[in-house]
Amino acid sequence: MEFVTTPKTNDAREPTSPHTRRWMLLAAWPVIAAMALSNEPAPLYVLWQDRLGFPDATLTLIYAGYFAGLLVSLSFSGTLSDRYGRRPVLLPGLAIGLVASVLFTVADSVALLGLARLLSGIAVGAALSAGMAAVSDLAPDGRKKLGGLVASTSMVTGAAVGPLLTGVLSRALPHPTVTVFVVQVVLLLVALAVVVRMPLRGREDSAVNGRLLRIPSVPAANRRALLVSLAVFAPAFTASGFVLSLGPSLLGRLLGGDDPLLSGGLISLLFAAATAVQFGVRGLRVPVQFRLGAGLTVVGMVALVAAVAADSVPLLLVAAVLAGCGQGSAQLGGLATLAAEVPSARLAEADSAFTAGGYLLAGGLPVVAGYLSDAVGLTAATAVFGVVVAVLAAAGALAAEVVRA
């Protein structure tokens, strides 16, 4: 077998080998394991509320802790990964995820629960920035689009696995707030073993300079690609976030009780749709993926508004599927664009910027909608939110068309 000698570069990939495709797929596991942790607690909050007796306002603060940890992590983990390599970021990130999982199992106070959620956000931020970049780094030569597909689907697959795992274990085993996170510890330990063995190179000659703690960005030549991708992805991601925040409580109200399996099933349905659609549209050009993502987001918001107005479970499920498909298509187009256009030496930071931009909008608008619902009612607030997100999605798709024209 003939090997080609390559010079030292900032690429985190070893010379091409027969195992490159296999390692690209294995590199997705740390992202899946970390993302499972991101949504596993959601169906269990009602159990913690009953046990610890905290109000909904405190629950909002616990959610905010996760977003704070995630955004802080994204602000430096991508830069660290591009400067020092993927492994030095992934290993401590996954270790923090292990600490968070253990804290969830022993959480007997709001403080411990909030700390666990904060640490889980930090772990997820590290896994998303360095982990998705590692997947792209290990993509076979000339298959950057495939790397973008695997990176994108690993994110939403993990988000689907977590709540489904929680729902099933809550029904099958006692003490779900313990057993769920014991299983999560095992998932993270396997992820650590994968990271230790991944054929990733360090960044001895890194061209990434400047402060480590900064707003994630991309080279000037790639900023247009990032902004166009965010213009389509952020509204789609926000639509999914609102369905996730509203869905379980609405489902419980309509069905007359809270059930972790039903709540977890709704969340998993959304992310399963987001995963499946990416395989369906992977052969389409990026502009078509963007248009499809925006269109599905608009229709999904129409379905959500109708579901709330009519108190309809079937329409809620339709809204979840449409929102997931919209996010999946827009996310794939955005990550594929970044993987193809941004140099590998800045790819993790670009992924961080992309993810942080989506989370900023997804974390902000639903909070505003929550306060609005207290003032004008859930139906009116959902209608306002749906119109705003639909307009943003359509505007993003139009901007993408204009820029690419």
Side-chain angles (χ1 to χ4, degrees):
M1 180 179 293
E2 182 180 358
F3 291 91
V4 178
T5 302
T6 58
K8 279 188 179 182
T9 67
N10 287 331
D11 198 341
R13 185 169 56 226
E14 288 189 339
T16 303
S17 77
H19 305 294
T20 301
R21 185 185 180 96
R22 175 173 68 91
W23 275 112
M24 177 191 66
L25 296 175
L26 285 173
W29 180 251
V31 180
I32 293 172
M35 282 303 299
L37 180 60
S38 71
N39 281 330
E40 276 169 346
L44 298 173
Y45 282 127
V46 63
L47 302 181
W48 278 311
Q49 277 189 289
D50 289 342
R51 183 194 308 166
L52 303 177
F54 56 83
D56 290 339
T58 302
L59 183 58
T60 302
L61 292 177
I62 294 172
Y63 269 115
Y66 170 75
F67 283 107
L70 178 72
L71 292 174
V72 169
S73 180
L74 289 172
S75 71
F76 64 84
S77 57
T79 309
L80 281 174
S81 175
D82 287 333
R83 181 176 294 186
Y84 299 111
R86 315 306 184 204
R87 199 177 349 256
V89 174
L90 282 170
L91 290 177
L94 293 171
I96 291 172
L98 284 171
V99 174
S101 299
V102 172
L103 287 177
F104 277 124
T105 66
V106 299
D108 57 1
S109 67
V110 172
L112 274 181
L113 194 57
L115 179 59
R117 208 66 181 109
L118 175 71
L119 293 178
S120 66
I122 294 173
V124 170
L128 287 179
S129 56
M132 291 197 298
V135 173
S136 296
D137 288 342
L138 292 169
D141 291 331
R143 302 298 303 276
K144 284 292 188 180
K145 191 171 183 180
L146 176 63
L149 171 65
V150 175
S152 182
T153 54
S154 67
M155 177 181 174
V156 290
T157 298
V161 166
L164 183 61
L165 181 67
T166 298
V168 171
L169 292 180
S170 296
R171 282 286 188 88
L173 298 173
H175 310 298
T177 57
V178 174
T179 54
V180 167
F181 297 103
V182 170
V183 173
Q184 178 62 33
V185 165
V186 175
L187 300 182
L188 290 171
L189 288 174
V190 174
L192 280 168
V194 169
V195 172
V196 167
R197 293 183 57 84
M198 279 196 300
L200 295 169
R201 265 213 300 255
R203 301 278 173 170
E204 299 95 338
D205 301 319
S206 177
V208 181
N209 299 309
R211 293 178 291 112
L212 291 178
L213 185 59
R214 64 188 186 194
I215 297 175
S217 185
V218 294
N222 307 120
R223 285 174 188 164
R224 179 176 294 184
L226 174 62
L227 292 175
V228 167
S229 299
L230 271 177
V232 182
F233 169 66
F237 192 45
T238 302
S240 292
F242 190 57
V243 173
L244 294 180
S245 63
L246 176 66
S249 60
L250 182 60
L251 197 62
R253 189 184 79 189
L254 297 180
L255 297 179
D258 293 308
D259 186 330
L261 181 58
L262 293 177
S263 299
L266 177 67
I267 298 171
S268 296
L269 176 66
L270 187 151
F271 285 114
T275 302
V277 75
Q278 293 185 58
F279 287 97
V281 304
R282 68 186 186 278
L284 302 178
R285 295 181 301 111
V286 167
V288 179
Q289 293 171 349
F290 280 158
R291 287 195 293 268
L292 186 61
L296 288 168
T297 298
V298 171
V299 179
M301 288 299 91
V302 172
L304 180 63
V305 171
V308 173
D311 283 341
S312 170
V313 172
L315 279 176
L316 178 61
L317 298 179
V318 169
V321 170
L322 290 171
C325 288
Q327 176 192 329
S329 186
Q331 179 177 304
L332 177 60
L335 288 176
T337 298
L338 296 180
E341 299 192 19
V342 177
S344 177
R346 296 289 299 275
L347 183 57
E349 187 178 358
D351 286 344
S352 293
F354 180 76
T355 306
Y359 269 106
L360 279 174
L361 188 64
L365 277 185
V367 172
V368 174
Y371 282 105
L372 186 61
S373 67
D374 290 337
V376 301
L378 180 61
T379 301
T382 303
V384 172
F385 180 89
V387 169
V388 170
V389 171
V391 169
L392 289 175
L398 180 60
E401 294 291 332
V402 170
V403 169
R404 291 177 177 275

